[in-house]
């Protein structure tokens, strides 16, 4: 089994990335940093007879990389009580993948998903709607949602003070490593 991390943050070495790195330390994981790629917003052609037009961006390469893994960790800061726009833009394009990859949902149903998110305004409570949103997304495409970690941090480095989140990340790491065996 193999692991991919989809980083939705826009700050290099930000709190969310630091917490996610704690989860994946001691394991091999492909890191897909969305901010480093051009992913155009979705143009909804789901109901158009000719389907989605070709888009000259990096999305297809990223979705192919993601699909090649068994375990996917979605890593996002909590921005305005939801996932980052970068990650949302990537997931919105799944509508296109459902049309262009005849077996997209079947392939996604073979995967396990986890979420790591960090926010600055009571994330253990106010981050729960984000977790619920991921549950709905994963349910729609058939992905098994296996767990999540919410951490608290606002300024760079704040996550290092969140003992509870660091412990939860360590526990999530153990769970994933057991799944990889």
């Amino acid at each position: 089994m193999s692991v991919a991390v989809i980083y939705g943050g826009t700050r290099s070495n930000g709190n969310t990335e630091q917490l996610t790195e704690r989860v994946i330390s001691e394991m091999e994981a492909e890191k897909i940093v969305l901010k480093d790629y051009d992913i155009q917003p979705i143009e909804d052609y789901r109901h158009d007879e000719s389907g989605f037009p070709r888009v000259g961006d990096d999305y297809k390469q990223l979705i192919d990389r993601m699909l090649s893994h068994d375990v996917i960790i979605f890593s996002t800061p909590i921005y305005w009580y939801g996932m980052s726009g970068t990650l949302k833009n990537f997931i919105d394009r799944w509508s296109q993948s459902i049309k262009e990859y005849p077996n997209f949902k079947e392939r996604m149903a073979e995967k396990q998903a986890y979420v790591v998110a960090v926010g600055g305004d009571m994330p253990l409570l106010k981050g729960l709607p984000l977790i619920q949103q991921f549950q709905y997304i994963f349910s729609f495409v058939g992905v098994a949602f296996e767990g999540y970690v919410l951490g608290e941090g606002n300024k760079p480095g704040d996550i290092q003070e969140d003992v509870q989140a660091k412990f939860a990340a360590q526990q999530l790491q153990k769970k994933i490593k057991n799944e990889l065996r």
Side-chain angles (χ1 to χ4, degrees):
M1 293 182 75
S2 62
V3 178
V5 179
I6 310 294
Y7 285 102
T10 58
R11 182 190 306 156
S12 294
N13 200 32
N15 289 310
T16 307
E17 184 177 338
Q18 290 176 37
L19 188 60
T20 305
E21 289 294 317
R22 184 173 285 272
V23 171
I24 64 169
S25 69
E26 302 178 23
M27 69 178 78
E28 213 173 293
E30 179 177 5
K31 300 173 184 180
I32 301 171
V33 182
L34 296 179
K35 73 177 180 67
D36 293 342
Y37 297 93
D38 176 30
I39 306 169
Q40 294 297 308
I42 186 80
E43 289 189 47
D44 189 359
Y45 286 92
R46 288 174 297 153
H47 306 289
D48 192 288
E49 286 181 23
S50 58
F52 286 90
R54 293 249 182 252
V55 179
D57 66 359
D58 299 320
Y59 173 76
K60 184 176 180 337
Q61 142 194 353
L62 298 175
I63 205 73
D64 287 341
R65 286 171 61 191
M66 183 188 80
L67 287 171
S68 72
H69 295 282
D70 307 296
V71 175
I72 306 165
I73 301 170
F74 293 86
S75 173
T76 182
I78 302 173
Y79 288 159
W80 291 102
Y81 310 100
M83 71 181 75
S84 70
T86 307
L87 183 55
K88 181 70 168 81
N89 194 37
F90 176 74
I91 292 174
D92 282 349
R93 289 283 294 276
W94 290 6
S95 295
Q96 183 176 349
S97 293
I98 289 169
K99 293 291 187 180
E100 292 179 355
Y101 291 75
N103 60 351
F104 181 77
K105 283 184 162 185
E106 290 83 1
R107 289 180 70 187
M108 291 298 286
E110 298 169 351
K111 310 208 177 302
Q112 298 173 359
Y114 298 87
V115 173
V116 178
V118 177
D121 184 16
M122 297 173 47
L124 295 179
L125 174 64
K126 295 180 180 180
L128 292 177
L130 168 67
I131 298 305
Q132 188 174 40
Q133 180 184 26
F134 274 110
Q135 287 174 320
Y136 292 140
I137 292 166
F138 297 152
S139 175
F140 184 79
V141 294
V143 173
F145 188 14
E146 298 293 336
Y148 65 92
V149 174
L150 292 172
E152 186 164 359
N154 191 21
K155 296 183 310 238
D158 278 356
I159 194 62
Q160 298 308 320
E161 304 304 316
D162 188 341
V163 175
Q164 183 177 351
K166 289 176 9 180
F167 178 76
Q170 184 180 28
Q171 296 306 303
L172 189 60
Q173 178 194 73
K174 288 178 183 176
K175 179 178 182 177
I176 294 170
K177 284 171 71 174
N178 283 334
E179 293 292 327
L180 295 175
R181 291 184 184 152

